[in-house]
Amino acid sequence: MPQDLKTIASFHAHVYYDQETRTEAELLRSWIGERFTVTLGRWHDVLVGPHERSMYQVAFAVEVFPKLVPWLMLNHGRLSVLVHPNTTEPLADHTAHALWIGAPLGIRGERLPETAEAELPLAPNTTPSLPA
Ligand code: ZN
């Protein structure tokens, strides 16, 4: 049986950067904040969790996906972005369930549990004033 869409509690987009592309990541982050109701996570220059490059997280509600994800397709530039749903299966969410915008990077699957509570949408911390 296919999984029901209701299993998706929220989404993340992880925006990856390195020393060469950090300025572009800063610009993309400000563009996102000006246009979308999301939760911009802090900068992780040091590798965390399953991620293989420095990144920040953009957490967003299911209803934001149809605007934000196509916008990221047009505007990610040289940055790699991992978009994944948050269900009760963190490992699958970051691998089998995920999509990459830009060049795919690796994910350290061994750092993710197979099951966990789904992450509900976080309180947004942006106040968009521009149309996407
Ligand atoms: Zn995530």
Side-chain angles (χ1 to χ4, degrees):
M1 290 295 287
Q3 290 198 53
D4 197 289
L5 277 176
K6 287 200 268 304
T7 59
I8 300 177
S10 64
F11 285 95
H12 289 169
H14 293 275
V15 177
Y16 296 91
Y17 60 90
D18 55 22
Q19 281 186 315
E20 193 185 320
T21 56
R22 173 147 181 154
T23 306
E24 292 158 47
E26 289 170 6
L27 183 60
L28 186 68
R29 184 183 172 96
S30 64
W31 286 349
I32 293 169
E34 289 164 353
R35 288 165 178 79
F36 298 97
T37 301
V38 299
T39 311
L40 292 171
R42 63 183 187 279
W43 293 84
H44 291 284
D45 291 328
V46 174
L47 300 188
V48 291
H51 305 286
E52 294 189 350
R53 189 175 290 184
S54 302
M55 65 87 198
Y56 60 82
Q57 178 193 81
V58 183
F60 54 100
V62 167
E63 56 269 26
V64 177
F65 185 102
K67 289 266 168 73
L68 175 59
V69 174
W71 186 91
L72 286 170
M73 290 172 173
L74 297 178
N75 294 295
H76 69 96
R78 295 191 293 166
L79 304 169
S80 292
V81 181
L82 172 70
V83 179
H84 73 81
N86 290 307
T87 72
T88 56
E89 301 175 5
L91 176 58
D93 288 345
H94 288 76
T95 55
H97 296 165
L99 67 86
W100 287 91
I101 299 171
L105 304 173
I107 282 288
R108 299 175 184 176
E110 73 279 7
R111 295 185 171 222
L112 290 167
E114 284 194 24
T115 60
E117 288 215 354
E119 183 179 305
L120 294 168
L122 306 172
N125 61 4
T126 58
T127 47
S129 58
L130 297 175

